[in-house]
Amino acid sequence: MTGEVFKYRSQHWHLLPERAIFWEEEQALIVSDLHLGKATHFRKAGIAVPAGIVTEDLFRLQRLITKLNPAQIIIVGDMFHSHENREVDYFRLWRQQFANVRFHLVVGNHDIMPAEVYTTLDIHTTDQLTINDIHFIHEPCEEHNGYTYTFSGHLHPGFVMAGPARQRLRLPCFYFGRHCGILPAFGEFTGLASLAAEPDEPVFVIAGNAIVRAQ
């Protein structure tokens, strides 16, 4: 397994350059903000975007599942971008190859399809999820909420790295705050929001195929 193993809150988190976390103790692959169907949504609005984005994202996810053999997938919101479209139909076919893997979706603000659609996709949906006192919600928490730790998505966090010649590069990152962590967006067709972390809060950036601790 490539990436960085970060022992935090007595758990082992494998931070992967594919913008995912493998939670060793629970054999869970954790991703956030896939935004499947976003390209189709934009094209319907007359905005030209590259074709094949959804297949590339699902192929990356497929490779991770094949390599790690997780017992469960935890999607921390915004799995789909909008209403049902042909990319949802593509996912329905893709899902069949992993019928033995349980998919949890912590519903995000873009997951607006009717509940029966998720049922046909064999996806368990919930507003929040707690496993072994680790809590998952979509929108970031602001303070301790009684759980050991909370993970969220939504922000598509990026961290600015400064170079010796005044270069500045914003990279997707994993953020571990005191009580709440934020995952990078898994989907390639997403932007980045600059993250302001306190000096004692661990941040790991994704630089190509490497995970680099930024602070």
Side-chain angles (χ1 to χ4, degrees), residues 157-161 169-174 192-193 204-208 212:
F159 192 79
V160 176
M161 302 287 286
L169 183 62
R170 187 168 57 179
L171 298 170
C173 69
F174 301 92
L192 291 175
F204 297 83
V205 299
I206 302 167
V212 178

Side-chain angles (χ1 to χ4, degrees), residues 2-206:
T2 59
E4 177 82 12
V5 181
F6 183 43
K7 187 175 181 180
Y8 193 65
R9 304 284 172 152
S10 301
Q11 303 292 297
H12 294 81
W13 311 98
H14 296 256
L15 311 182
L16 305 171
E18 293 88 349
R19 305 186 185 191
I21 293 179
F22 184 71
W23 183 7
E24 184 176 322
E25 283 74 13
E26 296 296 329
Q27 292 295 292
L29 180 62
I30 309 168
V31 296
S32 183
D33 295 276
L34 280 76
H35 286 278
L36 301 176
K38 185 175 183 179
T40 296
H41 180 76
F42 274 45
R43 282 194 289 269
K44 286 182 178 179
I47 302 172
V49 296
I53 292 174
V54 67
T55 56
E56 293 172 7
D57 286 343
L58 287 178
F59 182 59
R60 285 192 297 121
L61 185 57
Q62 177 179 324
R63 286 188 298 180
L64 284 175
I65 296 172
T66 301
K67 178 171 66 174
L68 301 173
N69 193 28
Q72 54 189 327
I73 310 292
I74 301 171
I75 302 166
V76 193
D78 286 357
M79 180 175 185
F80 296 100
H81 186 74
S82 185
H83 299 283
E84 188 171 6
N85 56 39
R86 65 183 183 183
E87 293 179 347
V88 176
D89 293 333
Y90 180 84
F91 176 84
R92 183 176 286 107
L93 293 174
W94 178 94
R95 173 74 174 93
Q96 294 175 9
Q97 64 187 312
F98 302 114
N100 62 319
V101 181
R102 183 170 177 80
F103 277 66
H104 301 276
L105 170 61
V106 179
V107 176
N109 54 299
H110 281 279
D111 295 310
I112 60 174
M113 294 188 298
E116 55 267 23
V117 175
Y118 299 101
T119 300
T120 65
L121 298 174
D122 195 16
I123 297 172
H124 172 71
T125 59
T126 181
D127 291 334
Q128 50 190 316
L129 176 69
T130 304
I131 300 175
N132 194 17
D133 209 27
I134 300 294
H135 196 55
F136 298 91
I137 56 177
H138 178 58
E139 297 195 13
C141 63
E142 297 181 355
E143 58 186 19
H144 185 49
N145 53 13
Y147 297 96
T148 298
Y149 203 71
T150 297
F151 280 106
S152 66
H154 186 62
L155 290 184
H156 310 176
F159 192 79
V160 176
M161 302 287 286
R166 297 185 179 179
Q167 309 101 318
R168 292 174 64 84
L169 183 62
R170 187 168 57 179
L171 298 170
C173 69
F174 301 92
Y175 161 74
F176 291 85
R178 293 180 182 87
H179 306 295
C180 308
I182 305 175
L183 282 78
F186 184 83
E188 292 285 358
F189 190 36
T190 54
L192 291 175
S194 293
L195 179 74
E198 296 296 329
D200 61 340
E201 294 176 332
V203 176
F204 297 83
V205 299
I206 302 167

